[in-house]
Amino acid sequence: MELTVVKIGGNVIDDKAKLSSFLEAFAAVEGYKILVHGGGKIATDIGRKLNIEPNYVNGRRITDEPTLDLVTMVYGGLINKNIVAELQSFGCNAIGLTGADGAVLPATKRPVKDIDYGFVGDVNSDNVNGTLIKTFLQHGLVPVFAPLTYDGKGRLLNTNADTIAQEIAKAMAQFMPVELVYCFEKKGVLLDAADDNSVINSMTIADFNELKEKEIITGGMIPKLENAFVAIDKGVEKVIIGHADELSALISGKSGTCIR
Amino acid sequence: MELTVVKIGGNVIDDKAKLSSFLEAFAAVEGYKILVHGGGKIATDIGRKLNIEPNYVNGRRITDEPTLDLVTMVYGGLINKNIVAELQSFGCNAIGLTGADGAVLPATKRPVKDIDYGFVGDVNSDNVNGTLIKTFLQHGLVPVFAPLTYDGKGRLLNTNADTIAQEIAKAMAQFMPVELVYCFEKKGVLLDAADDNSVINSMTIADFNELKEKEIITGGMIPKLENAFVAIDKGVEKVIIGHADELSALISGKSGTCIR
C-alpha cells in the first residue's frame, strides 16, 4: 500500500477552524498516512506569558533550556495531543509521537560552530526506526509527529518539522511507495511571488537551480525545496508542495508543485 | 509473560534526582511493563505563571478549559515526553501515550450532578483497547501513560492517574498475569500514620472495611485502596502499594502492602 506523509505548518495550526477542516481532509486520505506538524505562534504566545522570549540568530530560533521545555509542552503536548483527539473524532486512529517514542528518530545535538543553536537535533538518518513505523501503519494506526527528536542520553531535541517529514519519508521509502506533501499558505512554488496563480506545476533539480540562480526562488522556499530534492534522491516517489486548503487536490495531482 | 503496571505520583515527578533513580529502577523491571504517571506541582507552578489558578471543589481539581490546556501541555507533553527520553537513555524503549493515542482509553465527560468537574473523563472500561497495548508490549515497547483520556468527539479529558493504572491493569488481565504497583511517598498502608514502620504487609477487603470503619485508613488512601480492590475483583493478580524509592523490593514482595 502507498504511504502519504503530510507536513502541516504553523499558520494552519494557529487557526482552529482551518486546522479542523484540514484534519477532516487528512482523515479522508486513503492508504497509509503520517502527519508531521510544526509549531506556530502558540508556542511564542505561551512563551511570552512564561517570560521565555524567543531568541533568533540568522532567522533560526535558538533552543535554550526554557525554550526546550516550552516546545516540549506545546509541540509534544498541547498541539500534538489535540490533533490526535480531533483526528479520532473523524474516525482516524491517530497516535501522537515525538522522535523519542519507540526510539523512532534518534538525533545528535547540533555541534557548535559559528552559532550555538542550543538543544537542536540533527536526525541520525541511518537509525530512523522505519520498521516500527511500518508496524504501526500495519496495525491501522496513523502516526502524528511533533517536531521533537532525542539524543539517547535523556534529552529531547528541537528539530525542524520539514526535516522530520523528509527523514520519515526517506526511511519509509525502503518499505513502500512514498509520497511527501508539504502544505503551507501558498498554492505551490510561485514564479511570481506577487501572483498566487503563478504556480509552477512541476519542477526538476535543474529547474530549481536555475530559478534559485535567477532569484525567483528565495528565502524559506530554498530549504523546503532542498529537503524535497533530498527525499527524491533517497527514493521518495514524489514531493508535492501546495496549499493546506487543497490537500485532496494536491494528492490527486490537480494542484500544487510536483517534484519527481 | 507477566505484566507489571506501575503508577508513579506527583511527589517523585517534582524531584528530578528522585525521578531519575526511580526511572532507572523501572527500566530494570523484568517482563512486560507499563508506567502511568500523575501530575505534580509543575502543572500548578506553570499554571500560576499563565494566570491559571487552580480551582478545587471537595479536594478535587475542577478542569475548566484553560486547565485542560495546561494539563495537556504539562502532563501530555513536558512530563510524559521527558520521562520517555530519560527511559530511552536507560535502554528502555518507552512510548509516551495519552488515552487518545490509538484510541486506547475512551472516556465520557463526567455528568454534572452536584458539582461540575469540567473536562474530567470517566473511562469507558469495556472499551479500553487492551489488544493494542498487548501489541505494543509484544513489539518490545514500554507504554508510558499521561493521565489524559478523550471523548471521541475531539476533546481530551483529565483523568486521575490511579484510575488509569487500574483500568489498564484490568484490561490487560484478560491477556496475561498482571501485577499493579502504586508508588507513593510512604512505605505502604500504615497502621499508625505517624509511624512509617507500621506498614500493613497484606490486606484483604475485610481488613480494609474494618480499618476504614475504625478510621485507621482515611483520606486519599481510601480511593487508592478502592481502586486496588476493583482491580483484584476484575482479575489483577495482586496490587502492591509502597514507596517509590523501593520499586524492586515492592515487586519482589520484600516491601509495601500487598493486596490479593
Side-chain angles (χ1 to χ4, degrees), chain B residues 95-140:
Chain B
I95 180 169
L97 303 169
T98 67
D101 297 295
V104 162
L105 291 163
T108 303
K109 184 176 175 297
R110 186 167 300 164
V112 179
K113 289 178 196 163
D114 302 344
I115 300 170
D116 182 356
Y117 288 104
F119 297 105
V120 165
D122 294 317
V123 176
N124 304 341
S125 302
D126 294 342
N127 299 320
V128 175
N129 191 350
T131 309
L132 183 61
I133 298 176
K134 189 180 68 170
T135 301
F136 289 156
L137 296 173
Q138 286 170 340
H139 280 88

Side-chain angles (χ1 to χ4, degrees), chain B residues 33-56:
Chain B
K33 59 197 168 195
I34 293 173
L35 183 63
V36 180
H37 64 82
K41 276 189 312 199
I42 311 174
T44 312
D45 291 349
I46 293 177
R48 198 156 286 146
K49 288 186 194 162
L50 295 171
N51 287 320
I52 303 169
E53 282 302 320
N55 180 6
Y56 288 91

Side-chain angles (χ1 to χ4, degrees), chain A residues 185-200 215-218:
Chain A
E185 67 287 359
K186 298 275 177 186
K187 289 190 167 182
V189 185
L190 302 179
L191 260 180
D192 174 0
D195 178 5
D196 264 356
N197 293 315
S198 66
V199 174
I200 303 166
E215 292 180 12
I216 289 169
I217 292 172
T218 57

Side-chain angles (χ1 to χ4, degrees), chain A residues 1-2 16 46 61 85-86 88 125 137 144 186 204 209 231 235-236:
Chain A
M1 191 148 42
E2 202 180 51
K16 255 190 182 213
I46 293 176
R61 184 160 183 171
E86 190 151 5
Q88 289 289 352
S125 303
L137 296 173
V144 176
K186 298 275 177 186
T204 63
N209 287 330
V236 171

Side-chain angles (χ1 to χ4, degrees), chain A residues 46 49-50 69 72-74 76-78 81-82 84-86 88-89 93-98 100-103 132 135-136 139 141 150 152-154 156, chain B residues 46 49-50 69 72-74 76-78 81-82 84-86 88-89 93-98 100-103 132 135-136 139 141 150 152-154 156:
Chain A
I46 293 176
K49 289 185 194 164
L50 295 171
D69 280 351
T72 303
M73 287 196 288
V74 178
L78 190 63
K81 297 308 178 182
N82 275 309
V84 167
E86 190 151 5
Q88 289 289 352
S89 79
N93 197 5
I95 181 168
L97 303 168
T98 67
D101 298 295
L132 184 61
T135 302
F136 289 156
H139 279 88
L141 294 170
Y150 78 112
K153 294 176 245 168
L156 293 162
Chain B
I46 293 177
K49 288 186 194 162
L50 295 171
D69 281 352
T72 302
M73 287 196 290
V74 178
L78 189 65
K81 298 307 178 183
N82 275 310
V84 167
E86 190 151 6
Q88 290 289 354
S89 78
N93 197 4
I95 180 169
L97 303 169
T98 67
D101 297 295
L132 183 61
T135 301
F136 289 156
H139 280 88
L141 295 170
Y150 78 112
K153 292 176 248 170
L156 294 161

Side-chain angles (χ1 to χ4, degrees), chain B:
Chain B
M1 191 148 39
E2 204 180 49
L3 167 66
T4 309
V5 178
V6 180
K7 187 261 167 172
I8 183 81
N11 61 310
V12 176
I13 289 164
D14 290 332
D15 183 325
K16 255 189 183 223
K18 269 194 192 169
L19 178 61
S20 188
S21 53
F22 170 81
L23 293 176
E24 193 168 4
F26 177 78
V29 172
E30 281 174 25
Y32 290 148
K33 59 197 168 195
I34 293 173
L35 183 63
V36 180
H37 64 82
K41 276 189 312 199
I42 311 174
T44 312
D45 291 349
I46 293 177
R48 198 156 286 146
K49 288 186 194 162
L50 295 171
N51 287 320
I52 303 169
E53 282 302 320
N55 180 6
Y56 288 91
V57 175
N58 296 353
R60 291 268 189 154
R61 184 159 182 171
I62 302 301
T63 307
D64 52 13
E65 198 154 340
T67 302
L68 181 65
D69 281 352
L70 175 67
V71 298
T72 302
M73 287 196 290
V74 178
Y75 300 169
L78 189 65
I79 296 174
N80 189 269
K81 298 307 178 183
N82 275 310
I83 287 177
V84 167
E86 190 151 6
L87 285 174
Q88 290 289 354
S89 78
F90 294 126
C92 172
N93 197 4
I95 180 169
L97 303 169
T98 67
D101 297 295
V104 162
L105 291 163
T108 303
K109 184 176 175 297
R110 186 167 300 164
V112 179
K113 289 178 196 163
D114 302 344
I115 300 170
D116 182 356
Y117 288 104
F119 297 105
V120 165
D122 294 317
V123 176
N124 304 341
S125 302
D126 294 342
N127 299 320
V128 175
N129 191 350
T131 309
L132 183 61
I133 298 176
K134 189 180 68 170
T135 301
F136 289 156
L137 296 173
Q138 286 170 340
H139 280 88
L141 295 170
V142 176
V144 176
F145 281 95
L148 294 165
T149 56
Y150 78 112
D151 69 357
K153 292 176 248 170
R155 274 274 181 205
L156 294 161
L157 295 168
N158 194 3
T159 298
N160 178 273
D162 281 5
T163 307
I164 288 194
Q166 181 233 77
E167 292 287 353
I168 291 170
K170 283 188 317 193
M172 300 316 293
Q174 298 170 63
F175 303 107
M176 54 189 78
V178 178
E179 208 174 289
L180 172 58
V181 183
Y182 284 117
C183 292
F184 73 140
E185 67 285 0
K186 298 276 177 186
K187 288 192 168 183
V189 184
L190 302 179
L191 260 180
D192 173 0
D195 179 5
D196 265 357
N197 293 316
S198 66
V199 174
I200 303 166
N201 293 114
S202 75
M203 194 187 287
T204 62
I205 183 87
D207 299 334
F208 171 56
N209 287 330
E210 199 188 316
L211 292 165
K212 197 168 58 170
E213 206 167 298
K214 289 184 182 165
E215 292 180 10
I216 289 171
I217 293 174
T218 56
M221 188 48 79
I222 293 174
K224 201 178 279 288
L225 283 166
E226 281 168 349
N227 256 322
F229 284 109
V230 170
I232 296 291
D233 197 47
K234 299 286 183 182
V236 172
E237 305 222 325
K238 61 178 169 176
V239 181
I240 303 155
I241 298 180
H243 204 292
D245 287 351
E246 301 183 322
L247 184 60
S248 104
L250 293 177
I251 292 172
S252 65
K254 288 180 198 138
S255 184
T257 299
C258 180
I259 292 153
R260 277 181 200 267

Side-chain angles (χ1 to χ4, degrees), chain A residues 22-37:
Chain A
F22 170 81
L23 293 176
E24 193 169 1
F26 177 78
V29 172
E30 282 173 25
Y32 290 148
K33 59 197 168 196
I34 292 173
L35 183 62
V36 180
H37 64 82

